[in-house]
Amino acid sequence: MSNPDSQTHIEVRNLNFSRSGRPIFRDLSLSVERGKITAIMGPSGTGKTTLLKLIGGQLQPDSGQILLDDLDVHKLNRKWLFHLRARMGMLFQSGALFTDMSVFENVAFPLRVHTDLDDELVRDLVLMKLNAVGLRGAAELMPSELSGGMARRAALARAIALDPDILMYDEPFAGQDPIAMGVLIKLIRQLNQALGHTSIIVSHDINETLSIADYVYLIADGALLTQGTPDELVNQEDPQVRQFLHGEADGPVPFHFPAPDLATQLLGGGQ
Amino acid sequence: MIDQLQRIGRGTLDRLAATGRSGQMLLQSLFVPPAPKEMLPLLIKQLHFVGVLSLVIIFVSGLFIGMVLGLQGYTILVDYGSEQAVGQMVALSLVRELAPVVTALLFAGRAGSAVTAEIGLMKATEQLASYEMIGVDPMRRIIAPRLWAGFISLPLLTMIFAVVGIWGGSLVAVDWLGIYSGSFWANMQASVDFSTDVLNGIVKSLVFGFVVIWIAVFQGYDAVPTSEGISKATTRTVVYSSLAVLGLDFILTAMMFGEI
């Protein structure tokens, strides 16, 4: 079924998706290379997180395909989809640690569910994963006792518990202080090199993401704006790409939300 | 006019869609292959959360309602010289009506709202999505134990409510107002029938338990994952459950005692 020799690990083909009648993606196509860090960037509200949920089979597209090793994610039945997800790890924006379990139990959870390992081995594996993210000492803490950065690292340890083939990061740098951000950048790069999994980072933190990505897709208005290596992107002349990468307030993406003319509105009364 | 029609149409469609989703959720969470080793600890934890932790409010409410019934019954019956029938009145009102209905309403307020808020927050903090991405079906892990716990707890709480209520009634009627305890208990025993009164009360509580916990779980699962969405879902749980309990109570009572 799968073809591990192929360079393309995930392929999105002509994806169309809309929510409450509003189109999120229009005929989007992109591919993610095996073992590389691929970044998907774009302004807020362009549906980057939605794309991860579509890849994970949590949402159904209106049309188009998402292939994982030539396997159509949305054609699988529930049972196979859950099998497939055991090979994927996802770091949610909020961390999404299970609040009724300790950090240790959170990381142990996927191991207990998907393997028959005895408690001793689970303990060793969990401690190794926690050590990898620097939280071995926090194993017995509850999620509510962790800082934002620690929660995200604990969630990362849980995401890598089963050594997944694909690791998806949803806004990993959002709301992190510079130290936590630095730690996360280092961890994502190190884990990718050590474990050799395919990583997808969805983010709008430009500098951090460009510093670790091998390849970048820039999405705007539901379609692909541009793609390339970080260097290629930085040197692009396209005004919309430049506006996004350089954080300019006004440009092709307007500063103002669509509204009637200010003078007309002020003089015309009403709303 | 057209706008109003459109709104009514959209509202109806939304409600129908929600009903469909709630049915789908029920089927997906109840009809799963049994896995006692995995499910039992989760069920016990939920039984504690929705059942055991509701005991205090059920106990206290049952006691006071029983006491009030005893007092009211006495003041009315004493005019006709039939104050001995207080035991019978307290027991019948509690077993047939008040215990199932009031317990279900209290349960909706205490446990139902908590279940909705908990599941809604799990959704908002992406914990449900996280279970899915780990390859664990949240229907089995989160929804099913809560549904079963509610379904099992409410009839038990109802029975406790009735027993405590009767005790409260006896405290007032016998110990305070001085009705002869022999006639209090004998009248009760003679007039309360196990199959028509006690069993029908339990059947009511089974139906209420199922409806209340179904509404609570679905409202949490279907909540808009924002603070406003969760607050609305919690309110909906209490309002819908209370209305459903009161409406169903009339229908069930008509079916059970209608021919009298």
Side-chain angles (χ1 to χ4, degrees):
Chain A
M1 250 186 334
S2 66
N3 178 14
D5 297 330
S6 159
Q7 271 307 300
T8 304
H9 199 166
I10 302 166
E11 195 174 356
V12 177
R13 275 189 199 159
N14 310 106
L15 184 77
N16 282 290
F17 180 77
S18 56
R19 186 177 271 160
S20 314
R22 192 172 74 93
I24 307 280
F25 297 120
R26 284 167 299 159
D27 209 26
L28 182 74
S29 295
L30 53 88
S31 64
V32 175
E33 261 191 66
R34 189 178 303 281
K36 295 282 167 62
I37 299 179
T38 303
I40 296 166
M41 302 179 76
S44 297
T46 41
K48 302 184 295 293
T49 305
T50 308
L51 184 59
L52 292 188
K53 288 191 172 170
L54 282 160
I55 294 174
Q58 288 181 288
L59 294 173
Q60 285 285 332
D62 298 337
S63 66
Q65 288 178 306
I66 294 179
L67 304 171
L68 250 84
D69 282 331
D70 301 328
L71 202 67
D72 190 338
V73 176
H74 300 100
K75 292 256 161 64
L76 297 173
N77 65 24
R78 215 170 155 79
K79 186 180 159 200
W80 281 103
L81 187 61
F82 280 114
H83 272 296
L84 183 75
R85 285 181 185 156
R87 306 300 310 143
M88 290 181 189
M90 179 148 170
L91 181 69
F92 287 89
Q93 193 172 349
S94 59
L97 290 170
F98 303 133
T99 41
D100 56 342
M101 301 179 194
S102 67
V103 169
F104 180 93
E105 285 303 323
N106 261 285
V107 182
F109 184 74
L111 293 166
R112 292 199 210 282
V113 173
H114 290 295
T115 68
D116 290 324
L117 301 175
D118 61 42
D119 282 352
E120 190 88 350
L121 206 52
V122 168
R123 181 183 161 274
D124 293 351
L125 279 169
V126 172
L127 289 179
M128 279 159 65
K129 302 292 175 192
L130 283 173
N131 198 46
V133 298
L135 288 182
R136 190 162 40 86
E140 293 313 317
L141 295 182
M142 293 303 282
S144 55
E145 296 172 284
L146 303 179
S147 68
M150 284 164 82
R152 219 163 287 187
R153 276 151 66 192
L156 183 54
R158 187 181 64 186
I160 58 168
L162 288 167
D163 295 331
D165 299 334
I166 300 167
L167 203 45
M168 299 193 277
Y169 300 87
D170 184 8
E171 299 283 4
F173 313 116
Q176 298 292 311
D177 66 55
I179 300 172
M181 199 122 78
V183 170
L184 278 166
I185 292 172
K186 190 166 155 254
L187 272 175
I188 294 173
R189 171 53 80 195
Q190 276 181 348
L191 287 172
N192 180 259
Q193 283 168 351
L195 304 174
H197 52 233
T198 305
S199 304
I200 306 175
I201 300 179
V202 148
S203 178
H204 51 224
D205 290 293
I206 297 153
N207 295 334
E208 292 75 19
T209 310
L210 291 186
S211 71
I212 47 171
D214 295 308
Y215 203 77
V216 182
Y217 288 97
L218 198 55
I219 297 177
D221 299 326
L224 203 58
L225 182 63
T226 187
Q227 56 177 299
T229 61
D231 287 339
E232 285 167 0
L233 240 67
V234 172
N235 296 323
Q236 282 218 10
E237 291 301 323
D238 182 279
Q240 207 173 338
V241 175
R242 290 188 67 81
Q243 186 194 0
F244 180 72
L245 292 183
H246 298 288
E248 290 156 6
D250 215 347
V253 177
F255 169 70
H256 289 287
F257 192 77
D261 181 57
L262 178 63
T264 322
Q265 197 173 13
L266 288 177
L267 297 172
Q271 290 211 322
Chain B
M1 178 68 186
I2 294 289
D3 274 0
Q4 214 162 7
L5 266 179
Q6 210 174 15
R7 260 201 301 278
I8 295 170
R10 195 184 304 131
T12 314
L13 280 179
D14 286 350
R15 293 239 150 74
L16 280 176
T19 313
R21 284 199 303 276
S22 69
Q24 205 178 11
M25 182 201 77
L26 193 69
L27 291 180
Q28 280 178 350
S29 51
L30 289 186
F31 296 99
V32 289
K37 207 180 138 198
E38 172 202 344
M39 295 293 282
L40 206 59
L42 295 172
L43 179 63
I44 290 171
K45 192 174 165 195
Q46 288 310 316
L47 279 171
H48 177 258
F49 181 64
V50 300
V52 177
L53 295 183
S54 303
L55 269 176
V56 175
I57 187 172
I58 294 300
F59 191 94
V60 174
S61 314
L63 183 69
F64 281 119
I65 285 180
M67 285 163 73
V68 168
L69 277 178
L71 193 55
Q72 289 279 19
Y74 179 84
T75 53
I76 294 166
L77 291 170
V78 79
D79 289 344
Y80 306 96
S82 14
E83 65 272 21
Q84 264 70 14
V86 166
Q88 167 186 353
M89 199 211 85
V90 169
L92 281 180
S93 348
L94 276 170
V95 169
R96 281 187 182 186
E97 279 302 324
L98 287 172
V101 173
V102 177
T103 310
L105 294 179
L106 291 170
F107 186 79
R110 218 247 27 133
S113 57
V115 164
T116 303
E118 191 192 15
I119 297 178
L121 266 174
M122 279 185 169
K123 190 177 179 186
T125 53
E126 296 175 307
Q127 290 183 56
L128 292 184
S130 198
Y131 275 115
E132 281 195 1
M133 283 309 296
I134 287 174
V136 172
D137 191 349
M139 292 294 173
R140 285 186 68 150
R141 176 94 198 171
I142 304 295
I143 306 295
R146 283 163 178 78
L147 272 174
W148 281 111
F151 190 53
I152 295 168
S153 313
L154 191 57
L156 296 174
L157 291 170
T158 302
M159 285 186 241
I160 294 169
F161 186 99
V163 169
V164 174
I166 290 170
W167 178 58
S170 85
L171 280 182
V172 169
V174 177
D175 299 327
W176 180 28
L177 300 170
I179 293 174
Y180 176 54
S181 74
S183 49
F184 180 88
W185 294 110
N187 263 332
M188 189 188 298
Q189 211 173 7
S191 58
V192 178
D193 185 75
F194 184 75
S195 61
T196 51
D197 300 320
V198 179
L199 267 189
N200 276 338
I202 293 174
V203 170
K204 275 187 180 181
S205 69
L206 280 169
V207 175
F208 296 161
F210 177 72
V211 171
V212 170
I213 200 70
W214 183 17
I215 291 174
V217 166
F218 175 68
Q219 289 299 338
Y221 191 70
D222 206 49
V224 179
T226 59
S227 37
E228 193 196 357
I230 294 166
S231 104
K232 278 186 178 164
T234 315
T235 310
R236 272 200 301 271
T237 291
V238 179
V239 173
Y240 290 178
S241 307
S242 307
L243 292 179
V245 164
L246 296 170
L248 279 169
D249 182 48
F250 175 73
I251 295 169
L252 288 170
T253 308
M255 282 163 69
M256 290 165 175
F257 307 102
E259 70 273 16
I260 297 166

